[in-house]
Amino acid sequence: MSLFHPVNLVCPACNAVFTMPAVGSVNADRRPDLRDDILNDSFQDTVCEACEAEFRLQPEFNYLDVGRGQWIAAMPAGRMPDYLEVEDQVSEVFETSYGSKAPKAAQEIGDGLTVRLTFGWPAVREKILTREAGIDDVALEILKLDMLRNMENARIGPGNELRLVGDMGADLAFAWIASDSEESTGDEFLVARYAYDTIASDPEPYAALREDLTDGPFVDMQKLYVGRGRGAPPLPETDVDAILEEADEE
């Protein structure tokens, strides 16, 4: 089931204190309306009772969609620098709920779930949209890295995220989004889905990147610039380019 609990909030505009229900878990099979709210960027929106300022509660919940095979631990954007520690915590939660430490019936459900960790609303929305569009999220992250090589004004950096925001059929819509405000920092742009299909249909040339991206539940190209994973240093942009260029040659 989907669970909510009351939390006390301080309005960022007037400092008034009020209470709202915060989500602890979302079951999209039983509450598809909550899934729709996430996709519509309206989930956990609230209005200050004193000054009527609008703001959004940062995500901190588990998302389950058995029908689509998704289990997502959605965390606040500010926790991303500590993603390795959060990955350990999230993995333990999943193991207890649906993995090796869970009852047999729960393990059977867990066998059909893809486990992911996200930071911030744009990221969790993207994971849900990706599954809806029938897109492999690992191939999508490789596509993003490939796109960055050809962008003259790439906005990659702390607090700025390149996100899939729409599936147009023959094209995929992307936008640069600010992590703190969750607002677009530029116009949306389209990329032919064929570019994604080319990567998804032949994953072998990108094996090194896939290994780095999937060494834990946080599957996001941003991790390559924070720290490649367990025991590996951050990956310089030139190294990403080299790996992709080798894949092109193959």
Side-chain angles (χ1 to χ4, degrees), residues 58 77 119-123 155 157-163 175-186 222:
Q58 276 286 305
F119 295 96
W121 286 114
R155 299 182 176 90
N160 214 20
E161 307 171 17
L162 178 59
R163 294 294 173 195
W176 287 100
I177 298 176
S179 301
D180 53 358
S181 66
E182 299 167 18
E183 296 179 353
S184 174
T185 58
Q222 294 187 96

Side-chain angles (χ1 to χ4, degrees), residues 59-65 68-76 83 86-95 98 110 112-120 123-131 135-142 144 163 196 209-221 223:
E60 192 163 2
F61 63 93
N62 295 331
Y63 174 92
L64 174 67
D65 189 336
R68 294 179 177 84
Q70 282 188 297
W71 188 92
I72 303 171
M75 295 294 173
Y83 82 86
V86 181
E87 277 190 329
D88 289 340
Q89 297 169 356
V90 165
S91 296
E92 179 64 22
V93 170
F94 181 82
E95 286 302 308
Y98 296 101
L113 299 176
T114 298
V115 181
R116 292 292 184 259
L117 166 64
T118 62
F119 295 96
V124 66
R125 179 187 184 276
E126 181 184 61
K127 291 299 183 188
I128 296 172
L129 176 62
T130 298
R131 185 58 58 94
I135 291 174
D136 169 34
D137 63 339
V138 184
L140 179 68
E141 297 304 315
I142 295 173
K144 290 180 187 177
R163 294 294 173 195
Y196 159 79
L209 274 177
R210 292 187 71 91
E211 183 177 354
D212 284 334
L213 287 165
T214 59
D215 67 350
F218 181 40
V219 177
D220 193 304
M221 71 169 190
K223 72 191 289 184

Side-chain angles (χ1 to χ4, degrees), residues 2-120:
S2 300
L3 300 175
F4 291 80
H5 59 276
V7 295
N8 293 324
L9 301 177
V10 178
C11 174
C14 71
N15 292 322
V17 178
F18 64 99
T19 303
M20 73 166 284
V23 69
S25 64
V26 170
N27 186 318
D29 300 284
R30 297 183 180 181
R31 291 290 305 273
D33 58 310
L34 300 183
R35 176 179 178 275
D36 292 341
D37 287 346
I38 295 173
L39 289 173
N40 294 333
D41 287 326
S42 60
F43 189 51
Q44 295 284 263
D45 280 356
T46 189
V47 178
C48 175
E49 298 172 352
C51 70
E52 298 186 347
E54 298 181 2
F55 61 99
R56 193 178 192 183
L57 199 62
Q58 276 286 305
E60 192 163 2
F61 63 93
N62 295 331
Y63 174 92
L64 174 67
D65 189 336
V66 176
R68 294 179 177 84
Q70 282 188 297
W71 188 92
I72 303 171
M75 295 294 173
R79 296 195 66 186
M80 191 184 72
D82 301 318
Y83 82 86
L84 287 174
E85 177 183 347
V86 181
E87 277 190 329
D88 289 340
Q89 297 169 356
V90 165
S91 296
E92 179 64 22
V93 170
F94 181 82
E95 286 302 308
T96 302
S97 302
Y98 296 101
S100 60
K101 299 179 182 179
K104 184 176 180 180
Q107 289 185 38
E108 292 176 354
I109 294 174
D111 288 341
L113 299 176
T114 298
V115 181
R116 292 292 184 259
L117 166 64
T118 62
F119 295 96

